[in-house]
């Protein structure tokens, strides 16, 4: 039969018929519209065949009329399989429960190892991980991916310079580099300190070496500030000059800012979808339908399902659709000038050292042309202008 798979789901039986009227019996079944297949002869008075389970009761009268004896050898198909499963339901339920528990335990977080952090920093890291749902006993499916965990820890904990996050099996491994690590002693060769830019000296802190300039002196790039040659004439020695020489320097910053600008922002609306993927097949389990937003940004997080140490070809997928809107910002002339000044300040500060300070500022030029604000600002900066210059044998002041 062409539809044997369909008959398997309905149920089928294997029948053995024996007696003198085998041919008459087979002909009677055919005339009655009862389908049989896989007919096999076993001698002259015995035959076996398969048939639908629903037709099994109809053949007894035909067997009696044909002087044949029938025997049901085998029952197969979904109905009989279900009966056997129900009969052994305790064993089946136990096997399924065991598999489910192992699957669940294989996808939980059972360990968090942190290396390179002192106890105080480690406590901060654990608190941040708790906020993200990364803790012992939690399912890995509902935790952020390792890139997101690494980014969040780096942004929220000031005590760390870098953190590496790796998930191995059921354990998160974190390698931390702290900012407050003891600095290795700096070994310097004999050197002078010279000016790296034009400035007016305002303050000096010399640890080693001999200052050769004073407060309020004007200096040029490359000019000697602190000599590494100390001692009296004929009894001199060279040392690595150390210290900071703060000078007033000058910068000019020019900024062009449009009065009208268009950019995209998130509205705060989002739609979350959950699905299970098996190979290339995706099965939605929560969050059906398409997002109702015209514009959106998609964030997709996929995590493989594990069984013990093996990754199954099954994944849990979390998709977040965040609505994005186009916003037009229009500045008044006054607002535009203030925004441009603030942008110029940020631009200057980003190019300076951490210990540099802005002493003053003066607007040199500001104008509005073709819908854009142009502003030029002169900044007075106090910063360390000293840099090392190696002392070459034979140098003299």
């Amino acid at each position: 039969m062409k539809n044997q798979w369909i008959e398997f789901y309905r149920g089928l039986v294997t029948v053995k018929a024996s007696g003198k009227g085998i041919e008459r019996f087979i002909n009677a079944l055919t005339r009655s519209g009862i389908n049989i297949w896989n007919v096999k002869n076993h001698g002259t008075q015995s035959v076996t065949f398969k048939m639908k389970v629903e037709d099994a009761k109809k053949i007894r009268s035909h067997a009696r009329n044909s002087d044949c004896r029938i025997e049901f050898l085998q029952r197969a198909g979904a109905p009989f399989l279900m009966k056997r499963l129900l009969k052994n339901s305790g064993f089946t339920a136990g096997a399924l429960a065991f598999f489910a528990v192992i699957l669940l335990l294989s996808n939980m977080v059972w360990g968090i190892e942190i290396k390179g952090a002192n106890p105080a920093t480690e406590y901060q890291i654990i608190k941040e991980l708790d906020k993200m749902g990364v803790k012992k006993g939690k399912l890995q499916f509902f935790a952020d991916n390792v890139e997101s965990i690494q980014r969040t820890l780096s942004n929220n904990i000031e005590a760390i310079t870098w953190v590496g996050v790796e998930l191995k099996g059921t354990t998160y491994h974190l390698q931390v580099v702290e900012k407050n690590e003891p600095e290795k002693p700096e070994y310097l060769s004999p050197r002078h300190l010279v000016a790296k830019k034009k400035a007016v000296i305002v303050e000096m802190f010399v640890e080693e070496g001999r200052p050769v300039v004073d407060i309020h002196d004007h200096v040029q790039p490359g000019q000697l500030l602190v000599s590494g040659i100390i001692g009296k004439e004929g009894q001199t020695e060279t040392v690595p000059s150390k210290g900071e020489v703060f000078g007033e320097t000058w910068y000019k910053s020019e900024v062009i800012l449009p009065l009208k600008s268009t950019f995209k922002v998130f509205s705060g609306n989002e739609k979350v979808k959950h699905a299970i993927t098996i190979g290339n097949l995706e099965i939605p389990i929560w969050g059906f339908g398409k997002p109702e937003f015209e514009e959106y940004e998609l964030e997709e997080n996929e995590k493989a399902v594990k069984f013990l140490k093996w990754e199954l070809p099954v994944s849990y997928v979390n998709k977040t659709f965040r609505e994005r809107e186009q916003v037009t910002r229009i500045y008044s002339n006054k607002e535009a000038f203030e925004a441009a000044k603030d942008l110029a300040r940020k631009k200057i500060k980003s190019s300076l050292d951490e210990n540099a300070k802005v002493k003053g500022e003066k607007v040199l030029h500001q104008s509005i042309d073709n819908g854009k604000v142009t502003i030029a600002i002169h900044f007075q900066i106090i910063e360390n202008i000293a840099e090392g210059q190696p002392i070459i044998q034979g140098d003299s002041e």
Side-chain angles (χ1 to χ4, degrees), residues 235-247:
Q235 296 180 340
T236 60
E237 63 174 310
T238 57
V239 297
S241 297
K242 294 182 183 178
E244 294 178 318
V245 180
F246 289 93

Side-chain angles (χ1 to χ4, degrees), residues 7 10 26 58 66 119 125 133 168 172 180-181 192 200 219 229 286 296 303 330-331 345 374:
E7 300 306 334
R10 292 180 180 177
I26 297 297
K58 302 176 183 179
S66 303
I125 292 172
K168 292 182 179 178
Y172 282 93
N180 58 355
E181 285 187 324
H192 299 304
V200 175
V219 295
I229 302 174
W286 188 261
Y296 58 82
K303 294 190 176 180
I330 302 176
Y331 285 120
R345 295 185 192 106
T374 302

Side-chain angles (χ1 to χ4, degrees), residues 169-220:
T170 59
T171 302
Y172 282 93
H173 298 265
L174 285 78
Q175 184 65 50
V176 179
V177 177
E178 295 193 71
K179 289 181 180 177
N180 58 355
E181 285 187 324
E183 293 184 3
K184 294 181 180 179
E186 186 180 11
Y187 297 99
L188 300 173
S189 58
R191 67 174 188 174
H192 299 304
L193 292 181
V194 299
K196 57 185 175 183
K197 57 184 66 177
K198 182 180 178 181
V200 175
I201 307 300
V202 296
E203 203 168 11
M204 298 177 66
F205 301 98
V206 178
E207 296 180 43
E208 194 165 2
R210 181 169 54 84
V212 297
V213 292
D214 292 320
I215 305 299
H216 306 308
D217 283 357
H218 288 257
V219 295
Q220 300 295 325

